[in-house]
Amino acid sequence: MCKAFKKWIEPQEKFDSPKTFICLIQSQKWEDAFEGHFADFIRTRLGVKLFERKEIPFRFYNTWRPFYTNINDTLVTQLADGLEGTGTDLFIMDAGWENNYGDWEPHHTRFPNGLKPITDHIRKRGMKAGLWMGLASVDKNSKLYKEHPEWAIYDKNGEPAYLHEEMKGRVTMSLASGYYDYILAKIKKHVRENDLAYIKLDLTMANYDDDAPVGPINIRQMAFDRSRAIPTATNLIGNQFMDSPYSKYTFLSLASVKPILVGDSRKLPADLKPWYLKWNTWFKMMDKKYQFTRFSYVSDIFQRPTMSNWDGVYKFNKEKQGGVLFFFRNDSVESERTFAFPFGEPDSSYRLFSPEDGKVIGIFSGKELREKGIEIRMEKQFDARVLGIEKVD
């Protein structure tokens, strides 16, 4: 991923840019380049830190919606209790825990005993603890800014600037100043003191606040557009309610990217808890076996998601010949579609199965899948279906 920047140079002046690379591929379609050699290069050679980890949390919970900054120690512990038995891997305390942007200490009335008792409670409920922080956003009334206003970014008029949005009481600090060492030390302090497994450095996450079915479709649209250049598993796209009337459609949409859910877990229907646990357990098993979260194929198979069509994504490991297939029926009038599957080895056999009921749909040769495709039927609109596929002897 590249970062945008501007640099003004005088006539005849030279500038050495950051290092980059050029990937030359011969193909009749640009999609083949991005989903083929380019994606393989990023996955295997570019040093994606997420892919180097032995264990990757799959399902995240975030306190942001519907509470926004109105959280406290009692609420957070209750939310953690509500998530027990759902298979949630990571619990993230979002904005509202801090006294201000800049000093980044626990709020003295909302979290009078600090964060450690809360993160301990989260771990007792079977989850790892995460914390939200703004990387370079600082309040002007913070002790930090009063002591180091020179660390701020200034506009052309010599005034402190805030680069995220219009907000008079906040500034953006320069990471090329002493602020870099300050915020790094502050992050390390919270990680060590509170045994954190995750730090969410905002403001960088793409949030979709529209409720289902619009929100899940927007999320899949972003994944469709971005996943050719950026590994889908590294996209943090969230803000969908786990207790939505479209729970299955919402969760499986997020699972095709990275499931980051919000909502009031205290009100979660009892029958949804084992449902979430079952899916999360299965997805983690399949990822351990096939690393399916690192792959994404849509070209010549699926259309870009819209309110009225069908869409999907194949997360298939061509090296290990197995993975997870996602299908979505939106507001389409059609209840059945057939999708091409061009990735199987013609002379090999593949087991196609449903994780929902454990039934094997059938054993097919790679040639059959290439020539006939996969037939999917869904009776309801705004529904989702997920299948497992793996090569068999």
Side-chain angles (χ1 to χ4, degrees), residues 311-367:
D311 69 275
V313 61
Y314 290 160
K315 306 182 80 62
F316 183 76
N317 186 333
K318 289 189 288 186
E319 298 170 3
K320 295 191 175 184
Q321 289 289 293
V324 180
L325 314 180
F326 292 83
F327 306 91
F328 301 96
R329 178 187 173 185
N330 303 317
D331 199 19
S332 172
V333 297
E334 298 177 276
S335 59
E336 187 176 302
R337 282 283 187 92
T338 298
F339 296 94
F341 186 82
F343 306 113
E345 298 168 349
D347 296 329
S348 297
S349 296
Y350 295 85
R351 181 171 73 102
L352 202 62
F353 62 98
S354 170
E356 293 188 83
D357 54 20
K359 291 183 179 179
V360 175
I361 297 170
I363 305 294
F364 307 92
S365 70
K367 184 181 182 204

Side-chain angles (χ1 to χ4, degrees), residues 362-379:
I363 305 294
F364 307 92
S365 70
K367 184 181 182 204
E368 284 181 283
L369 293 174
R370 284 174 178 264
E371 294 178 352
K372 297 180 180 180
I374 299 173
E375 187 177 290
I376 300 296
R377 185 173 184 84
M378 285 187 246
E379 299 297 336

Side-chain angles (χ1 to χ4, degrees), residues 165-180:
E165 60 187 344
E166 292 293 332
M167 190 172 291
K168 293 183 178 179
R170 197 165 288 165
V171 298
T172 299
M173 304 300 266
S174 170
L175 294 178
S177 70
Y179 180 76
Y180 177 89

Side-chain angles (χ1 to χ4, degrees), residues 53-284:
R53 296 181 62 87
K54 293 182 179 179
E55 183 180 354
I56 303 173
F58 184 75
R59 183 169 178 270
F60 294 20
Y61 173 81
N62 190 287
T63 61
W64 181 243
R65 285 213 306 163
F67 309 105
Y68 299 103
T69 59
N70 300 312
I71 62 172
N72 56 51
D73 52 2
T74 301
L75 174 63
V76 173
T77 55
Q78 291 175 349
L79 293 173
D81 292 342
L83 290 169
E84 190 172 21
T86 64
T88 301
D89 299 301
L90 184 67
F91 185 110
I92 305 170
M93 270 187 287
D94 212 290
W97 68 269
E98 75 289 345
N99 60 340
N100 59 52
Y101 286 38
D103 297 330
W104 298 114
E105 293 298 333
H107 195 280
H108 65 283
T109 58
R110 295 174 185 165
F111 294 88
N113 299 313
L115 301 181
K116 186 61 162 58
I118 311 303
T119 56
D120 285 345
H121 187 83
I122 290 170
R123 281 186 291 276
K124 289 178 182 177
R125 294 295 175 263
M127 297 170 286
K128 294 181 179 179
L131 189 69
W132 170 94
M133 293 179 69
L135 180 60
S137 297
V138 167
D139 289 333
K140 289 183 177 179
N141 63 4
S142 66
K143 179 182 177 183
L144 168 72
Y145 181 73
K146 292 176 181 178
E147 292 180 352
H148 294 285
E150 74 279 7
W151 289 351
I153 288 175
Y154 289 82
D155 62 22
K156 62 182 179 181
N157 298 318
E159 296 295 326
Y162 189 49
L163 304 183
H164 183 62
E165 60 187 344
E166 292 293 332
M167 190 172 291
K168 293 183 178 179
R170 197 165 288 165
V171 298
T172 299
M173 304 300 266
S174 170
L175 294 178
S177 70
Y179 180 76
Y180 177 89
D181 292 328
Y182 167 83
I183 194 63
L184 181 60
K186 185 67 71 170
I187 292 170
K188 288 181 177 180
K189 173 179 177 290
H190 282 300
V191 170
R192 291 166 180 163
E193 289 183 357
N194 303 301
D195 294 330
L196 299 176
Y198 183 89
I199 289 285
K200 175 187 171 185
L201 293 177
D202 236 353
L203 302 151
T204 58
M205 181 177 173
N207 291 330
Y208 285 98
D209 292 345
D210 291 316
D211 292 333
V214 176
I217 291 175
N218 288 339
I219 287 169
R220 300 200 311 272
Q221 285 177 345
M222 175 178 277
F224 187 95
D225 296 335
R226 290 188 177 184
S227 61
R228 292 188 175 104
I230 304 171
T232 311
T234 66
N235 281 276
L236 295 179
I237 311 174
N239 269 19
Q240 291 297 299
F241 285 110
M242 64 186 301
D243 51 346
S244 161
Y246 296 90
S247 294
K248 176 183 176 182
Y249 184 76
T250 298
F251 175 66
L252 295 181
S253 293
L254 288 169
S256 69
V257 186
K258 170 62 72 174
I260 303 175
L261 292 146
V262 296
D264 191 341
S265 62
R266 298 171 301 178
K267 301 177 181 179
L268 195 63
D271 61 333
L272 270 183
K273 290 190 175 185
W275 184 86
Y276 276 123
L277 176 61
K278 177 182 177 180
W279 273 109
N280 194 57
T281 302
W282 184 79
F283 278 127
K284 289 199 293 185

